[in-house]
Amino acid sequence: MEQKGTRVLPHGMKRRELIRHLQKQGCVLEREGGRHSVWINPANGLIQAVPRHTEIGDFLAKGICKRLEISLP
């Protein structure tokens, strides 16, 4: 974690790194929305929206993976 003043900023990962991880885990892009991409895990039918931010925080990335029931990045 980086520290800036008294605030602690969490590290994140690039969106393309998360997308690559989702694909390796067998998830597929279902559709593109206005501000999110919708991904599905065909193994269990779970669906999750992934925001189109350049950087995705670790907490959010872990939450996306947990909701899709895949391994954490």
Side-chain angles (χ1 to χ4, degrees):
M1 292 202 171
E2 294 176 30
Q3 224 170 0
K4 190 173 186 175
T6 58
R7 212 170 123 202
V8 177
L9 302 173
H11 276 90
M13 64 187 318
K14 297 288 185 186
R15 182 178 188 272
R16 65 178 166 261
E17 293 172 0
L18 177 60
I19 298 304
R20 205 172 295 131
H21 176 71
L22 295 177
Q23 290 171 334
K24 284 182 183 176
Q25 297 297 312
C27 296
V28 293
L29 178 65
E30 183 174 280
R31 66 181 171 83
E32 292 285 350
R35 294 183 179 153
H36 292 76
S37 301
V38 179
W39 286 79
I40 185 168
N41 182 347
N44 55 25
L46 294 174
I47 298 171
Q48 181 60 47
V50 177
R52 282 206 207 107
H53 301 186
T54 306
E55 186 93 7
I56 295 178
D58 288 338
F59 187 75
L60 178 57
K62 287 178 184 178
I64 289 168
C65 292
K66 283 184 180 181
R67 286 189 285 280
L68 287 170
E69 294 182 356
I70 60 173
S71 68
L72 302 177

